[in-house]
Amino acid sequence: MPRRIFTTFLVGLSALQTLTAALVNGPMLTNVDLREAQVWVQTEGPSEIRVTYSDTEAPGTRYWSAKLKTDDALGHTACLTLDQVEPGKQYSYQVEVDGELAGPSAHFKTPEFYHERTPAPDLRVAVGGAHYVMQDGFEPPYRILGGGYGIFSTIQDQQPDLMLWVGNTAHLRPSDWNSRSGYLKRFTTARAVPELQSLLASVPQYATWGSADYGAGDAGRYYSYRGIAEDSFRAFWPQPAQAPGLDGLCTSFRRSDVEFFLLDSQSFRDVRPGSNELPSILGNAQIEWLRNELLRSTATFKVIIAGTPVLNPAKNPGNLSFAEREQTQLLQMLRDERIGGLFFLSGGKYYGELTRLVHANSYNLYDLTLGPITANPKSNEDELNYFRMPGSSTFERHFAMLEFTGPEESRALTIRVYSMEGTELWNRTIEASQLQPAKL
């Protein structure tokens, strides 16, 4: 090959590589706190990335995150830290890939620093359940298992302060279970919905996982691909912090006077038939972690989030009640420690409902179970939940808004469940005063 043609070929190849080293997914806001924010991105190939951001009220300011390199190990994903932010400010930001700005410019606002200064600000939280994205060549014939992706625009119209995903965010299939590449490709597909992108870029996202994010069947703590499953989920859903000395994916964070505790209902699961061990879903170590975190918390509301319902009494492996000893241990701990402000959020189902557990010697507990956000809905006829509140069953694609509002002395939680078109299906209000143990 003549030198001139070869040189032209190299220049063209270099230009092609530059063009292809672009964003595949993102940016996505993850944890946005008082003095730090995180932005997740996924590039098409190995790239050097960083984020530029500025205070919208001070146009002359411009900051840069530290540079990171994406590689093949985790699907070219990365989470960048923005450490020059301050409370109660609006910022614009954009991702740079290999020295070139890529993707849209977006905005976020840091929380207000209200502690011991002003009453707690109101908070609006969007909650979504099972998410399924169709993929040619991998779906069963003549079945449509996902759709209605316009629901993400409907959620954004509600202007939430943050969004929670309560499990089954990717829906792994037999083609995905047995390789790291399969996991990463499936999570990439689930993240790539065009209607989802604006919501991800503008609203901080937090998630826990369900069985469809983990592996085959009732795969649990002894699953051969557990390490791959955990690495893949972390790669696409960065956590605010890792619980020290504890395996799995549990974590916590706080906004306003609400603290959120995300539990891992997969890594510690052992529901093997015929096992000499009692069934386990959360594990003793995680329950002890939760106990200590709840005792430390001074939040008015303490929201416990799991990829499996905690209060549903139906005995099947999809509910904590299947591990009866463990459920009893958890509920007894909450009573003994006299922890106020508890509210449960759960996923893992393909219908929605509100479960209420009435206590004779303590306050009533509530568990809002979210059904599918884009997966196919199902009925609840095969499960007898005799604690289900009348009028709360939801058999269509939906999402919830949790509104924490009111003056300091009379805060309240309002639950609103919406259809994919934005029609309110039902609502309930629970006063903070109703979530307090009786005075001794």
Side-chain angles (χ1 to χ4, degrees):
M1 180 183 294
R3 176 173 294 184
R4 180 177 297 176
I5 296 176
F6 182 70
T7 303
T8 303
F9 170 77
L10 289 180
V11 171
L13 178 61
S14 176
L16 179 61
Q17 290 173 334
T18 300
L19 288 173
T20 57
L23 290 181
V24 172
N25 282 315
M28 177 181 80
L29 289 172
T30 61
N31 190 43
V32 176
D33 212 316
L34 295 168
R35 309 192 76 175
E36 188 172 281
Q38 293 180 315
V39 174
W40 175 94
V41 297
Q42 183 181 24
T43 59
E44 198 165 20
S47 307
E48 186 175 76
I49 57 172
R50 61 177 178 170
V51 172
T52 180
Y53 56 107
S54 60
D55 182 343
T56 57
E57 294 183 356
T61 63
R62 192 179 191 188
Y63 307 104
W64 293 90
S65 71
K67 291 182 179 180
L68 293 178
K69 290 185 177 181
T70 64
D71 56 35
D72 297 337
L74 292 174
H76 308 112
T77 62
C79 189
L80 300 111
T81 298
L82 283 51
D83 59 6
Q84 297 297 314
V85 302
E86 295 296 338
K89 292 184 176 292
Q90 185 94 17
Y91 293 87
S92 62
Y93 74 97
Q94 192 169 10
V95 178
E96 180 190 86
V97 181
D98 291 331
E100 299 290 335
L101 293 176
S105 175
H107 296 80
F108 67 88
K109 184 179 180 181
T110 52
E112 298 285 345
F113 180 58
Y114 78 93
H115 302 267
E116 298 184 357
R117 297 158 59 92
T118 63
D122 292 344
L123 186 70
R124 291 172 54 80
V125 179
V127 190
H131 174 44
Y132 195 104
V133 177
M134 299 288 290
Q135 191 174 10
D136 289 344
F138 295 94
E139 307 299 336
Y142 312 114
R143 294 175 65 191
I144 299 176
L145 300 180
Y149 305 115
I151 194 171
F152 296 118
S153 297
T154 307
I155 294 172
Q156 190 169 1
D157 289 343
Q158 290 287 333
Q159 298 183 326
D161 296 304
L162 60 95
M163 182 169 177
L164 299 168
W165 299 67
V166 291
N168 295 346
T169 67
H171 273 89
L172 299 164
R173 304 145 310 180
S175 57
D176 314 317
W177 289 335
N178 299 321
S179 69
R180 181 178 295 270
S181 295
Y183 275 81
L184 296 174
K185 288 175 181 178
R186 186 55 179 158
F187 275 99
T188 298
T189 299
R191 182 61 52 83
V193 176
E195 295 90 338
L196 177 57
Q197 303 313 305
S198 180
L199 178 65
L200 296 180
S202 59
V203 177
Q205 306 287 320
Y206 303 84
T208 190
W209 61 358
S211 59
D213 299 316
Y214 189 68
D218 285 326
R221 63 187 299 181
Y222 301 110
Y223 185 46
S224 298
Y225 296 89
R226 171 181 165 180
I228 292 175
E230 291 182 352
D231 289 347
S232 301
F233 192 85
R234 281 196 185 97
F236 281 80
W237 295 107
Q239 295 181 297
Q242 176 68 35
L246 185 63
D247 291 337
L249 301 178
C250 55
T251 190
S252 66
F253 69 97
R254 177 168 173 161
R255 292 295 174 273
S256 186
D257 61 343
V258 186
E259 191 149 11
F260 301 90
F261 305 88
L262 284 77
L263 301 184
D264 182 341
S265 60
Q266 298 304 130
S267 298
F268 308 97
R269 176 179 290 266
D270 184 2
V271 293
R272 297 167 294 161
S275 171
N276 292 326
E277 300 291 330
L278 291 172
S280 174
I281 292 176
L282 297 179
N284 292 333
Q286 185 171 203
I287 292 176
E288 182 63 16
W289 168 81
L290 179 62
R291 184 183 76 87
N292 282 279
E293 287 290 272
L294 289 171
L295 289 173
R296 171 196 57 76
S297 177
T298 59
T300 304
F301 298 95
K302 303 171 184 67
V303 180
I304 300 174
I305 304 156
T308 189
V310 173
L311 302 183
N312 187 329
K315 297 290 193 295
N316 74 59
N319 298 327
L320 183 62
S321 57
F322 188 82
E324 185 174 3
R325 174 197 58 83
E326 197 169 80
Q327 186 194 43
T328 300
Q329 175 189 352
L330 172 64
L331 297 179
Q332 189 61 50
M333 177 271 289
L334 297 175
R335 286 193 292 267
D336 290 347
E337 300 292 357
R338 298 178 55 78
I339 297 169
L342 294 171
F343 183 79
F344 292 86
L345 274 178
S346 58
K349 301 294 183 183
Y350 294 86
Y351 57 84
E353 62 186 9
L354 181 63
T355 299
R356 179 179 62 184
L357 178 60
V358 178
H359 277 163
N361 57 353
S362 185
Y363 64 90
N364 298 338
L365 296 177
Y366 295 86
D367 187 351
L368 175 63
T369 300
L370 270 295
I373 192 168
T374 60
N376 278 354
K378 299 178 182 178
S379 72
N380 58 5
E381 295 176 354
D382 61 344
E383 190 166 80
L384 179 59
N385 178 0
Y386 42 83
F387 296 152
R388 181 185 304 124
M389 293 193 70
S392 68
S393 294
T394 311
F395 305 120
E396 59 184 279
R397 293 181 179 123
H398 62 277
F399 67 95
M401 290 295 302
L402 305 183
E403 302 169 359
F404 300 89
T405 59
E408 191 171 14
E409 66 279 3
S410 59
R411 298 284 279 173
L413 161 59
T414 298
I415 306 162
R416 301 187 190 276
V417 174
Y418 292 92
S419 71
M420 58 185 294
E421 296 84 9
T423 301
E424 186 175 305
L425 301 176
W426 60 268
N427 67 73
R428 298 286 189 281
T429 296
I430 303 169
E431 303 290 337
S433 59
Q434 297 176 253
L435 303 178
Q436 296 299 318
K439 294 181 180 180
L440 295 175

